[in-house]
Amino acid sequence: VHSFTHRHVPVLYPHWAVWPFKKVPGLVRLVAFLCRPFFPGTADTLDRLHRFQEEAGAETQGELLEKVRRHYPSSTRFVVLPMDMEGIGHGPVRAGLAAQHDELAALAAREDLKGLVLPFATFNPARGQAGVDEVKRMVGEHEFRGLKIYPRLGFPPDHDLLMTELYPFLQ
């Protein structure tokens, strides 16, 4: 699962035109209501966007995870995957990757979640050596279970830093 919140997502993501809807969450419901008689498909899409906004509006990753956990047996284990969205060109994020990783480490260390939250670090080669060091910090110091990469951000899974630094380290 992903547990990142609105604090980890760029202000203008996924498009600058969505910004007013993020600032005034009730606005998307109003537009959906106005669209429903004429454009029911668009209204349904806007309703889904509103539900997504509500979920991502959680203040902490723990709060978000608790919403997910309600739908599963109490013994369910969750592989939690962070997402590095700082450098994707949609504006600043309120809480950067290190903060997201640290919060996830604290979540995995909670007594009531021990063994149920399996945290992974994430890596984007655009961060260079700092990104490598961040992954090593999370895996080495906080016992993260593995690495999540997302090549759709514009890098190959055989990127030089992955091949020479991280894959050997993780192995």
Side-chain angles (χ1 to χ4, degrees), residues 53-159:
Q53 269 184 311
E54 285 181 325
E55 291 296 321
E59 286 304 313
T60 67
Q61 293 181 67
E63 184 183 327
L64 194 67
L65 184 64
E66 289 306 322
K67 289 180 180 183
V68 172
R69 284 186 70 205
R70 287 187 291 222
H71 302 282
Y72 293 89
S74 61
S75 61
T76 301
R77 298 169 69 189
F78 294 91
V79 172
V80 183
L81 306 171
M83 185 75 179
D84 181 5
M85 299 180 77
E86 281 183 84
I88 65 171
H90 290 277
V93 298
R94 289 176 280 285
L97 181 61
Q100 186 181 169
H101 275 157
D102 289 341
E103 185 181 349
L104 181 52
L107 187 64
R110 273 183 24 192
E111 196 58 42
D112 62 322
L113 295 175
K114 282 247 191 233
L116 298 179
V117 172
L118 310 174
F120 273 50
T122 193
F123 175 72
N124 183 340
R127 290 184 175 276
Q129 190 60 43
V132 170
D133 295 343
E134 175 66 7
V135 170
K136 288 181 176 181
R137 180 178 78 90
M138 299 319 294
V139 173
E141 294 175 26
H142 296 285
E143 300 179 3
F144 275 37
R145 303 292 183 95
L147 177 68
K148 178 223 179 189
I149 60 171
Y150 195 63
R152 289 199 54 174
L153 290 178
F155 62 90
D158 63 350
H159 186 280

Side-chain angles (χ1 to χ4, degrees), residues 24-36:
V24 184
L27 186 59
V28 73
R29 295 187 82 190
L30 174 64
V31 173
F33 175 77
L34 295 173
C35 283
R36 190 153 318 280

Side-chain angles (χ1 to χ4, degrees), residues 40-58:
T42 300
D44 290 344
T45 298
L46 291 169
D47 286 338
R48 282 193 304 279
L49 175 62
H50 178 69
R51 286 192 302 276
F52 182 76
Q53 269 184 311
E54 285 181 325
E55 291 296 321

